Structures are given as structure tokens and as C-alpha cells.
């Protein structure tokens, strides 16, 4: 079977000699791949001129809905994906991480896009900046989609998750993607993309696939394009210094080689839960995906006093791992993805053995498989007894089931051993001592993208050392690539342009779709709470009548709530307070009194008040002061699947002198349709 690329709205079989792709267990040829003949300039143009405009016409919420639909649809083909995933060497558990993990990332970004982004095409970044004394000239940062293409170059180890974790924030941002999977396992990515294209869920041009090399694609990139790369540091360096990347300042996101560590703290002695948890985690990280994970543990950094005990416990644990055909239920670890990968890993192990002793067997009995045909490497645990003299240990990554036990004498030495990797994606710490945890975390953080701290209290629900999560950043400094992926909404920012807008409040409100103080207050014609969601306009305002705050109000509120704080009830004590100089009204009384001034009581479109945001009490209110309220529709976000929209109301309480005494946003749910 020859894999096909999906480009310019059609499936394309590469020309000329194709690379053969083999089953990692049997060695049988299952596919071939070539991208020869693709016009990459036209492919980029198709993304920019067809996919980009189609995505940019959609709001964030509409794009999020597409991600959700896509995740559900792909779930229908899970069995088909799992069956083919075995050919990559993945066990059923490995495939769950790759396939279900990919679907989960789609769902996560769909949810965050709906909850955290506006139902519009502009993302407002941060607060309004006052640039003038009277507030007639202001500034605001906004983010809009880049008008190019995202080129995703993915690694062989996660052919599904690796694609979807990049694709989710890219599409949500409104940017089309050209996906280039690692050729070795591209057959699984191609199958998933086929099902995506068949579904018709995504706008045409928003997703293209290249099975094979990227040819001269880099020659045609512009400043509006983005490259997101996962793979070796050497390849990343070559790509990021491509003349066109440099000439056009093309954004380049990189996640590369990483010597990740797992630190057993000094308090975690044999017999302690944290010791056992450490052994279990290192074993799992060595054998999941046969150690072919950018986040896998390469150095087990342990107290010198317990190093022998750790080494023995790990050797015993690894000895129980069944290696063989991943299709068998009892097999816990399958082969590497390809014979070429096996040759590379064995070569790396040989280099590491110059500084460390291999303490596990070089040979293992396989279940249902043959050494001659499959890309099998048994779990390889090394023990470096003189880590202070070692160099290869901190610079060579054997991308397979390989880890080295590294003894240390102090917490600071443990930190230094981990940092010698010169930038890592993740390290983990196993300790029940929070003081030790703090020392280790703060020492490790500058050189790591993520840190996991495990103790007996959180272990049961911990997601583990090697699991990047869509809500947390995935990336690291230095050798790890210097980039970031995911991290919730942060992940979208790689594909958006942040622009500072300066002008009048009204102009800024028009651009952002969010009312700001100083912009025009619209006369709604009737109480704004009588308007359904679609009838409301940003800027619709209500200015209430006045109400005098009395001493009786304060005392009754104190009696009702039990809040008898001295500033409200003890004149002499309140007079000593330099901020008040006498009794003042409760802040929460002011909020309640304000609601009484602006609420429209009868049944209507406003279904619920679900909270307050940005509440600030600016100036105290004393008995005899008069207050009034200004309520303005600040922003609207439709929840189309729920039949209502979320409306934020900018609210100011002022006193008889026109001074602001409190400001906040009232958050309401408003019916999509008029209510009779």
C-alpha cells in the first residue's frame, strides 16, 4: 500500500521510488511513502488562500465546536486505529496514550475554547491601558490569527497524539495546518487524516497532509507562517537556521531531545511509600512505548546511601516485564518503531557503557516474536558509580527503554546532575518532605519546562512523569528546544499576532467588541434586563436613581449577616482607622444595595447571575452618603448549544460627588430568545 498525501483538496500518490515502511514486530512491509511531485509552493498557497479565510470567518466558539465534533467522530474509528497502531510496536496501553490521548486533547481544547475565549474573532489580551489624564486616549492589546500556514513536523513515536496536540490549538486559533508526520509511522497518521477528511467536519484547506519529505516547502515560507517541530536537536538546528526561516523571521517552535531526570529525595528511604512509587514510575517510563518518549526518564538520580537498593529494586521490577508482540494481552513492552531505531539505541547504550555498568540482561525471551525480525531492545538499566566523572551520561539520549542510576551526596548535587542535561522537558521529584521538595523544585525549575512532585498523598491521582497535559505547557529550555506547546490558551498564541491598538475608548470598543469605560453608553430603549441575548447591544446602559445609605442600613445588615467588624459597628474604633475615620458601610451591603437599584424584578430574559468579576472597593461609604449605579453591557458570548448567552455588565457605584466607590463586572446568563 502506498501512502498518499492530502494536498490542495485531493489525495496524491508520490512519484518515483518510495520508502518502505515495516511492521515493527514482524518486519513485514505494510506501506510505502513518497512526497515526490508535490508542488509545495501551491500547497502553502492553498492553505493561505482557502483554509485560512474559511477558518477566520468562524468565531472561537465555532472553531471549538468543530474540535469537539472531530473528537467524537474519530472516537467511532478507535478500533481501526488501535489495530493499525500495533504495527508501530505499541501495546494496547501505549495506543491508549497515543490515540485516546489525542482525542482527549481535542476535547480539552474544545472545552477551553468555549469557556475561556469569547464568541468572536478577536482575543482581547490583558487590561485596557490608560494613556491620557482624562481617559480619552487608551491602549489595548489584541490577538488575531496569522494569515499563513502552520507547518507541523512530527516525531515517529506518537503518530496520533503528536498530530492532534499541535492541530488543536492551531485550528482553534484560526490557522490552517500542513502536517508532516515522521515517515516511519506515517501510515497511522494517514489513516486518521483520511477519516478526518471523510467526515467533512473541517473547512476545506484547513488540514493538509504530507507523507514523505517536505521538499522545498521551507523555501516558500513567509513571516505569517509558523513551523512547529518535534524531533532531534540536530534536525531542529538545521531547520531553524534555514535561510528562509532566518530571512523572514518565521516563527519556529521546537521540542527536541531531552535528558529527563527522576530524583528520589533523601527522605524517601527503602520501605517508605515514596521509594516504592519511584521504582514503579521509573519502570513505567522505561517500558511505556518502549521508552520512545521525549519525556521518558533517562537518569534516576538517587541518594548514594540507597543507590544499591534502588538499582536492585529496579532490576527486579524490570525483570517482570514481558517483552514481545504487542498484540498479545500479556505483553507489556513491544519493539522499537523500526530496525534503524534499534541500531541507533544499541549504539547509544554502547556509548553509555563506557561510563556505567549495564546491570540488566542484554537478552530477553520474547513472547510471540522473533529477534531477527522485530526491532526489540530489552529494558537496559545502567548504574553509574562515578557520576562526577561522567560526561556521556548527561549528553547522550538513548531513545528507547534505557535509564541510568545516578547516586548523589546532597540535594544540591542532585540538582546539578539533573541540570547537566542543559535543558529538559521534565523532571520529577519523589519526596514526602515539602522543604526538600521546595529546594529541589526551585533548583530544577530554570532548566526544565515541567516538574512533577509526587508523594503518598497525590500518587493515586498523579498523571505521571511522562504525560504532557493540554492545560500545561509542554517544552523546555536549551537542549529541549527552547519552545512550548499546549499550556491551555497559551498554545494558541504561537499562531496569533499580538497587536497594540491605540485610540479613543469608543474606537477600541468597536475593534474588540468589548465595551470599555469612556466609550459611548447606549440608550437601550427599555430596561436592558428586558432584552433577550440577541437584542442586547454592547454599550446598552442603565443609570439608576440615588439611594441614601443610613446608619440603620449598616446595623440591620450587620445583624442579618453577623458581620460586626469594628469598622461598621464601633464608632470609636473606626475613628482610629486612618483609612475610614469613622463608621462605614459594609462593602457587600453596597453590592446588595446596588442590585436593588438596577435589577428589574419580573420574570424575563435574565435567567441567572452566576458571579462577579474584578470587584474592587475604591472609596468608603459613610452614613448619609448617597449612591447610584451605572450598569453597561460590556461583552456577550453566546452558548448556542445551551439556549442562552453569557453577558458581562460593567458596573460602577458612585457617591453624591460622582466618585467611584465600587466597580465590578456582573455576570449573567441571558436567554437567547425573547421571553413572554
Amino acid at each position: 500500500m502506498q501512502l498518499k498525501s492530502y494536498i490542495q483538496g485531493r489525495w496524491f500518490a508520490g512519484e518515483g521510488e518510495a520508502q518502505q515502511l515495516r511492521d515493527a514486530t514482524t518486519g513485514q512491509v505494510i506501506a510505502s511513502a513518497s512526497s515526490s511531485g508535490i508542488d509545495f509552493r501551491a500547497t502553502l498557497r492553498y492553505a493561505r488562500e482557502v483554509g485560512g479565510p474559511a477558518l477566520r470567518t468562524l468565531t472561537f466558539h465555532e472553531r471549538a465546536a468543530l474540535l469537539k465534533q472531530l473528537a467524537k467522530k474519530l472516537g467511532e474509528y478507535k478500533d481501526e486505529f488501535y489495530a493499525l497502531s500495533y504495527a508501530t510496536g505499541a501495546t494496547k496501553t501505549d495506543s491508549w496514550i497515543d490515540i485516546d490521548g489525542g482525542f482527549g486533547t481535542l476535547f480539552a481544547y474544545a472545552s477551553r475554547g468555549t469557556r475561556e475565549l469569547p464568541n468572536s474573532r478577536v482575543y482581547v489580551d490583558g487590561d485596557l491601558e490608560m494613556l491620557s489624564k482624562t481617559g480619552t486616549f487608551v491602549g489595548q492589546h489584541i490577538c488575531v490569527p496569522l494569515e499563513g500556514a502552520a507547518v507541523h513536523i512530527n516525531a515517529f513515536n506518537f503518530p496520533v497524539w503528536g498530530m492532534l496536540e499541535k492541530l488543536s490549538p492551531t485550528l482553534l486559533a484560526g490557522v490552517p495546518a500542513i502536517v508532516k508526520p515522521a515517515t516511519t509511522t506515517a501510515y497511522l497518521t494517514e489513516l486518521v487524516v483520511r477519516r478526518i477528511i471523510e467526515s467533512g467536519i473541517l473547512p476545506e484547506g484547513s488540514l493538509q497532509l504530507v507523507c514523505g519529505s517536505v521538499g522545498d516547502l521551507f523555501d516558500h515560507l513567509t513571516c505569517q507562517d509558523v513551523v512547529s517541530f518535534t524531533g532531534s536537536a540536530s534536525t531542529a538546528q538545521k531547520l531553524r537556521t534555514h535561510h528562509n526561516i532566518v530571512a523572514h523571521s518565521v516563527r519556529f517552535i521546537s521540542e527536541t531531545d531531552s535528558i529527563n531526570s527522576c530524583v528520589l529525595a533523601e527522605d524517601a528511604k527503602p520501605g517508605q511509600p515514596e521509594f516504592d512509587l519511584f521504582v514503579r514510575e521509573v519502570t513505567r517510563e522505561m517500558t511505556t512505548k518502549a521508552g520512545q518518549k521525549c519525556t521518558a526518564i533517562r537518569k534516576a538520580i538517587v541518594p548514594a546511601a540507597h543507590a544499591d537498593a534502588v538499582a536492585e529494586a529496579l532490576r527486579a521490577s524490570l525483570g517482570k516485564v514481558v517483552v514481545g508482540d504487542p498484540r498479545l494481552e500479556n505483553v507489556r513492552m513491544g519493539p522499537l518503531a523500526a530496525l534503524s531505531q534499534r541500531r541507533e539505541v544499541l549504539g547509544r547504550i554502547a556509548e553509555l557503557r563506557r561510563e556505567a555498568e549495564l546491570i540488566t540482561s542484554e537478552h530477553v525471551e520474547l513472547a510471540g516474536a522473533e529477534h531477527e525480525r522485530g526491532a526489540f531492545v530489552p529494558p537496559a538499566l545502567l548504574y553509574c558509580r562515578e557520576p562526577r566523572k561522567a560526561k556521556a551520561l548527561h549528553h547522550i539520549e538513548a531513545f528507547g527503554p534505557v535509564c541510568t542510576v545516578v547516586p548523589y551526596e546532597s540535594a544540591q548535587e542532585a540538582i546539578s546532575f539533573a541540570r547537566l542535561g542543559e535543558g529538559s522537558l521534565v523532571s520529577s521529584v519523589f519526596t514526602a518532605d515539602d522543604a526538600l521538595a521546595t529546594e529541589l523544585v526551585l533548583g530544577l525549575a530554570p532548566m526544565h519546562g515541567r516538574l512533577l512532585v509526587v508523594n503518598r498523598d497525590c500518587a493515586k491521582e498523579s498523571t505521571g512523569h511522562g504525560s504532557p497535559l493540554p492545560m500545561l505547557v509542554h517544552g523546555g529550555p536549551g537542549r529541549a528546544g527552547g519552545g512550548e506547546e499546549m499550556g491551555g490558551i497559551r498554545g494558541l498564541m504561537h499562531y496569533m499576532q499580538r497587536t497594540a491598538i491605540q485610540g479613543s475608548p469608543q474606537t477600541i470598543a468597536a475593534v474588540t467588541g468589548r465595551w470599555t469605560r469612556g466609550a459611548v453608553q447606549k440608550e437601550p430603549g427599555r430596561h436592558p434586563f428586558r432584552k433577550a441575548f440577541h437584542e442586547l447591544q454592547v454599550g446598552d446602559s442603565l443609570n439608576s436613581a440615588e439611594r441614601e445609605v443610613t446608619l440603620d442600613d449598616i446595623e440591620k445588615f450587620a445583624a442579618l449577616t453577623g458581620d460586626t467588624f469594628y469598622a461598621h459597628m464601633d464608632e470609636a474604633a473606626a475613628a482610629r482607622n486612618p483609612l475610614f475615620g469613622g463608621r462605614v458601610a459594609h462593602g457587600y451591603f453596597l453590592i446588595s444595595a446596588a442590585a436593588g437599584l438596577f435589577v428589574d424584578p419580573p420574570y424575563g430574559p435574565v435567567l441567572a447571575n452566576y458571579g462577579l468579576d474584578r470587584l474592587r472597593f475604591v472609596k468608603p461609604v459613610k452614613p448619609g452618603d448617597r449612591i447610584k449605579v451605572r450598569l453597561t453591557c460590556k461583552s456577550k458570548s453566546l452558548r448556542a448549544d445551551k439556549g442562552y448567552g453569557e453577558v458581562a455588565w460593567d458596573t460602577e457605584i458612585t457617591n453624591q460627588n460622582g466618585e467611584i466607590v465600587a466597580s465590578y463586572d456582573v455576570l449573567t446568563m441571558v436567554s437567547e430568545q425573547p421571553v413572554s
Side-chain angles (χ1 to χ4, degrees):
M1 176 186 75
Q2 181 173 358
L3 302 184
K4 294 183 179 181
S5 298
Y6 185 74
I7 53 162
Q8 302 168 52
R10 64 189 178 93
W11 289 98
F12 176 84
E15 303 165 355
E17 186 177 353
Q19 178 180 338
Q20 292 187 332
L21 312 179
R22 298 177 182 273
D23 184 299
T25 301
T26 67
Q28 178 183 357
V29 175
I30 56 174
S32 62
S34 169
S35 63
S36 179
I38 292 178
D39 183 339
F40 286 104
R41 182 195 294 270
T43 300
L44 281 165
R45 186 168 60 247
Y46 192 77
R48 296 171 187 143
E49 297 179 0
V50 178
L55 285 169
R56 292 195 298 274
T57 62
L58 305 175
T59 67
F60 287 112
H61 286 198
E62 289 168 334
R63 296 176 207 144
L66 295 183
L67 296 184
K68 185 175 182 179
Q69 290 177 47
L70 189 59
K72 288 181 176 180
K73 174 57 70 173
L74 290 178
E76 297 175 10
Y77 303 107
K78 188 186 300 186
D79 291 344
E80 182 183 22
F81 299 153
Y82 268 70
L84 187 57
S85 181
Y86 287 126
T88 71
T91 65
K92 188 174 183 179
T93 298
D94 295 337
S95 295
W96 178 80
I97 296 169
D98 184 29
I99 297 169
D100 288 79
F103 301 166
T105 302
L106 284 171
F107 276 123
Y109 269 95
S111 176
R112 284 186 172 261
T114 303
R115 288 186 290 109
E116 299 180 24
L117 295 174
N119 192 15
S120 70
R121 300 172 186 84
V122 176
Y123 178 71
V124 180
D125 182 24
D127 294 331
L128 192 76
E129 299 290 345
M130 300 301 296
L131 305 177
S132 61
K133 288 183 178 180
T134 62
T136 62
F137 185 62
V138 296
Q140 177 68 65
H141 290 95
I142 64 169
C143 296
V144 296
L146 292 172
E147 296 188 355
V151 178
H152 293 167
I153 302 176
N154 298 326
F156 67 84
N157 52 342
F158 288 103
V160 181
W161 176 84
M163 172 177 65
L164 297 180
E165 64 94 3
K166 286 184 171 69
L167 200 58
S168 297
T170 302
L171 295 179
L172 186 56
V175 176
I178 299 170
V179 174
K180 186 266 182 269
T183 307
T184 302
T185 55
Y187 47 84
L188 180 53
T189 309
E190 193 238 34
L191 177 61
V192 176
V193 172
R194 280 189 177 276
R195 299 298 173 254
I196 293 174
I197 299 302
E198 289 169 1
S199 75
I201 291 171
L202 298 180
E204 179 53 51
S206 58
L207 173 61
Q208 297 182 82
L209 173 73
V210 175
C211 292
S213 75
V214 294
D216 66 350
L217 183 147
F218 272 53
D219 291 337
H220 310 298
L221 295 174
T222 73
C223 67
Q224 288 292 296
D225 300 315
V226 183
V227 176
S228 181
F229 171 83
T230 300
S232 71
S234 58
T235 302
Q237 184 176 9
K238 179 181 177 181
L239 294 177
R240 77 163 77 241
T241 56
H242 186 281
H243 67 89
N244 204 41
I245 295 283
V246 176
H248 294 284
S249 299
V250 178
R251 297 187 188 188
F252 191 93
I253 308 162
S254 176
E255 185 258 288
T256 62
D257 299 357
S258 181
I259 310 295
N260 307 301
S261 301
C262 187
V263 180
L264 183 68
E266 294 166 289
D267 65 305
K269 303 173 182 178
Q272 294 291 320
E274 288 71 25
F275 183 95
D276 296 335
L277 291 167
F278 174 90
V279 171
R280 188 185 311 162
E281 191 72 12
V282 174
T283 302
R284 179 169 62 183
E285 287 299 313
M286 287 182 65
T287 55
T288 299
K289 273 282 184 176
Q292 299 169 110
K293 292 168 57 180
C294 56
T295 55
I297 296 168
R298 305 303 178 194
K299 294 187 290 191
I301 301 175
V302 303
H306 312 314
D308 289 347
V310 169
E312 186 54 42
L314 282 172
R315 183 162 53 182
S317 179
L318 292 167
K320 300 174 184 177
V321 174
V322 177
V323 181
D325 187 338
R327 299 167 179 85
L328 301 179
E329 286 291 332
N330 65 321
V331 168
R332 186 171 165 189
M333 190 181 95
L336 301 182
L339 291 172
S340 58
Q341 187 64 20
R342 182 180 71 173
R343 288 192 293 271
E344 180 177 335
V345 169
L346 291 175
R348 298 297 191 189
I349 292 173
E351 291 181 74
L352 290 170
R353 290 182 70 175
R354 296 171 188 163
E355 299 178 350
E357 174 191 357
L358 181 68
I359 60 175
T360 50
S361 175
E362 295 183 61
H363 304 284
V364 66
E365 184 177 342
L366 300 179
E370 301 176 16
H371 284 285
E372 295 76 16
R373 297 179 181 274
F376 293 96
V377 172
L381 182 68
L382 297 100
Y383 190 166
C384 181
R385 299 181 187 278
E386 297 185 18
R388 295 158 199 83
K389 299 179 181 179
K391 293 184 179 179
L393 168 66
H394 305 296
H395 298 286
I396 291 176
E397 181 182 25
F399 202 71
V402 184
C403 182
T404 303
V405 176
V406 182
Y408 70 85
E409 295 292 346
S410 68
Q412 285 303 308
E413 187 172 55
I415 292 168
S416 69
F417 285 157
R419 289 168 61 115
L420 286 173
E422 297 181 343
S424 301
L425 295 171
V426 57
S427 276
S428 50
V429 174
F430 284 73
T431 179
D433 185 325
D434 287 341
L436 270 176
T438 300
E439 181 181 2
L440 289 165
V441 164
L442 296 183
L444 294 169
M447 297 293 281
H448 292 79
R450 178 168 61 88
L451 294 170
L452 169 73
V453 182
V454 179
N455 61 26
R456 65 198 76 182
D457 298 326
C458 70
K460 187 175 181 180
E461 295 187 309
S462 169
T463 51
H465 169 102
S467 300
L469 299 172
M471 62 286 298
L472 300 178
V473 293
H474 176 51
R479 175 177 176 152
E484 279 186 359
E485 296 175 332
M486 299 191 293
I489 300 306
R490 297 175 188 85
L492 277 68
M493 298 304 125
H494 301 299
Y495 305 99
M496 304 188 81
Q497 176 61 45
R498 180 180 291 106
T499 303
I501 309 298
Q502 296 168 276
S504 71
Q506 180 58 33
T507 299
I508 299 300
V511 171
T512 63
R514 187 172 78 176
W515 187 86
T516 187
R517 293 174 188 179
V520 172
Q521 296 181 33
K522 298 177 182 178
E523 171 54 53
R526 61 187 187 277
H527 195 293
F529 279 18
R530 306 313 304 167
K531 289 187 170 186
F533 182 83
H534 288 301
E535 297 174 318
L536 269 173
Q537 296 184 44
V538 171
D540 278 353
S541 299
L542 170 73
N543 289 279
S544 79
E546 278 191 343
R547 167 182 176 157
E548 183 177 347
V549 176
T550 67
L551 194 59
D552 189 50
D553 289 333
I554 297 171
E555 292 182 345
K556 285 182 176 178
F557 190 81
L560 177 65
T561 62
D563 181 357
T564 57
F565 186 61
Y566 77 87
H568 311 306
M569 302 301 292
D570 186 331
E571 180 64 42
R576 296 173 58 192
N577 187 317
L579 299 178
F580 300 146
R583 292 175 71 175
V584 296
H586 303 72
Y588 296 109
F589 167 75
L590 298 177
I591 303 302
S592 301
L597 291 171
F598 68 67
V599 162
D600 185 62
Y603 179 76
V606 176
L607 305 175
N609 173 344
Y610 68 92
L612 301 176
D613 267 353
R614 308 166 69 87
L615 173 60
R616 294 292 184 272
F617 297 116
V618 181
K619 187 177 182 64
V621 172
K622 297 186 176 183
D625 284 348
R626 299 186 308 278
I627 61 170
K628 61 181 179 180
V629 187
R630 191 265 305 147
L631 183 81
T632 302
C633 178
K634 178 180 181 178
S635 63
K636 301 168 55 183
S637 188
L638 178 65
R639 304 298 187 199
D641 59 331
K642 299 183 182 297
Y644 64 79
E646 294 172 353
V647 179
W649 304 84
D650 186 282
T651 310
E652 272 187 353
I653 307 175
T654 54
N655 63 18
Q656 68 276 12
N657 300 317
E659 300 168 315
I660 299 173
V661 299
S663 65
Y664 50 99
D665 291 346
V666 176
L667 309 179
T668 61
M669 298 174 181
V670 178
S671 174
E672 186 176 357
Q673 301 300 329
V675 174
S676 58

